[in-house]
Amino acid sequence: MKAFLSSVLAGLFMLLSPVIDAQVFITNDMLPLEITESGLYVVAEPLNFTSAGDAILVTANQVTLDLNGFTLTGIREGAAITQSLGHQGLVVRNGYLDSWGINAAFGTAIMAEGANNEFSDLHIRSSRGGIFAGANSLVSDCYITGITNNTSSYGLNMEGNSRVLGTLVDRVVAPTSYGIVGAGNVLVERSIVHNIGIGGTTAQAYGIALNSGRVKDSIVSQVFGGDSAYGVFSLSDLKLSSSSITQISSADEGYGARAFAALEIVHSVIGSISAGPDGDSVNIANGARVSESVVRQSDNIGLRVGSRSRVEHSVLGRFTGDEPAILLTGHDSRIEGNLITESHAAVFALPSGTNNIVIRNASFDNTFSFSTPANHIANTLVSPGIDFNHATQQYYYENIRW
Amino acid sequence: MGVVAQDSLLHRINLHNSVGSAWRGIDVTRSWLGDSRVSTVSPNSPQGIVANSSMVVRNVVDGGYVNVLGTGSLLPHNQVVNSGFQPFQQPAGGRNMAYRNTASTTAGNMISNPHHARVESYPGVNFISTNNPWGNIRH
């Protein structure tokens, strides 16, 4: 029996040995290292790269790099790990990347210009840039902190069709700062972006900036840009759900959320915006929807609404400038069932804001309540109650003013 | 006390209490509270939801009641059941709007001290009540 077991174990070893043989252990004396073949590469000791250039250059497909809990440190120009353009399937996991490019003119922790990559369980700290992830890539369970640059930098830079899950980006400090910047169709989920930007007079800061995508179950807080600051920004379609966007501050243009195409905000909190003269808590273009959310506290407009949009069943309040909680700039929008408090005005329509419906909202403790929407066919209410048949305020159309 | 929040959004909370005196389940100020359930078997004036200048929408309060403090709350589409208390209670002069709620196995009028009552004139006994403002239903 013992002989039989021994022969079985020997057979298993023979079967597994090619896999074991495929592992390559990386030691400090191998740097700089170019990986030209697919396989599993495991860091065997702390790596300290003191030369200029990339520590590890990947020029093959399907390369897995396991940092094995060790730290890869480098302080000069270059990246800890670079994947050259045209390659794919790079996996980097389980370790620390420290001080990449921090004292140099350029450099970043990971520069993956290929595609279909995966980065997980990484802690990147005190570097000039975070992760450039390539297209169709996944970043998960990473912690990126202390990104410092004298021009422009990011915690994460995601190419199109990529995902960010369970990741924390904290402290990106540059004249143009991005917590997470992405191309089209990028999903950010269960992540936190915190303390982005430097707040100088010409500085721009973005918590999350995407061409298009979705932000879900995430938190963005403390974004500081003297020239402009955006909690969440999109050039095209964006859905923001179950997320919190707070403490966005700019001396000129501060926005909690802004999208240049369809923006949908559901079950989210957007608040504490120092918007400056040109910013809004939420700036929605045409065809947008804000539903069941809280938008509060800004020194400028709460919601700037374009055409064909809906703002419904939300709480808006504490807009302390001489601006309204909701500003209607376009046509055919519907403002329904909102509670609007403690602002200069609840709803105000610009002369361009025609053919909108403002219905079943409540205005409480606002200096002015509802302006008369142009082209609005008023339904004069005659039900009991002094606020329903007011002689000069018959245009309320099932709105209530307390 | 279960949850206390200001300037917040609370969604899909399930909270249960078995005892307590003047217990407060979810206490919100300037907040949005929705799609949650608060239940208790305490007979001693349990306040399932306490709302102050908040939106309270699509919640179920089972065994308690909704205490509406101050002014400026909107309370649509909630359900209050099995409390034996008046479902929505606000102080005299309270300026809040509760509409399209339902209540069953409760006591008294739908809302105490209704201010901006709009009497619905639809057929059916549930709709004809001077204490049944603006599309609320009390079974």
Side-chain angles (χ1 to χ4, degrees), chain A residues 47-78:
Chain A
L47 301 179
N48 189 10
F49 187 59
T50 57
S51 304
D54 301 330
I56 298 174
L57 174 63
V58 178
T59 57
N61 297 330
Q62 314 306 331
V63 170
T64 296
L65 182 56
D66 187 343
L67 298 180
N68 199 19
F70 290 112
T71 301
L72 179 48
T73 305
I75 59 173
R76 295 187 59 184
E77 297 87 349

Side-chain angles (χ1 to χ4, degrees), chain A residues 242 266-269 291-294 296-297 313-315 318 336-339 341-342 360-362 364 381 383-388 398-402, chain B residues 6-12 30-33 35 53-58 70-74 76-77 94-97 99-100 115-119 134:
Chain A
S242 303
V266 182
H267 293 148
S268 294
V269 176
S291 180
E292 301 192 344
S293 294
V294 175
R296 55 171 291 277
Q297 195 161 328
H313 310 301
S314 295
V315 175
R318 292 189 167 187
E336 179 171 6
N338 301 288
L339 170 61
T341 69
E342 302 154 287
R360 299 193 186 101
N361 301 284
F364 164 62
L381 297 174
S383 299
I386 57 170
D387 293 317
F388 286 98
E398 296 194 8
N399 298 296
I400 286 183
R401 179 178 66 88
W402 285 303
Chain B
Q6 296 186 357
D7 303 308
S8 301
L9 186 146
L10 299 90
H11 192 215
R12 295 181 181 170
R30 295 186 303 274
S31 297
W32 189 100
L33 166 65
D35 299 313
S53 300
S54 294
M55 172 161 279
V56 177
V57 55
R58 289 196 309 273
T71 56
S73 286
L74 278 182
H77 300 286
R95 298 178 174 185
N96 303 287
M97 184 158 68
Y99 60 96
R100 302 198 181 104
H115 181 66
H116 297 277
R118 177 185 178 190
V119 178
W134 208 8

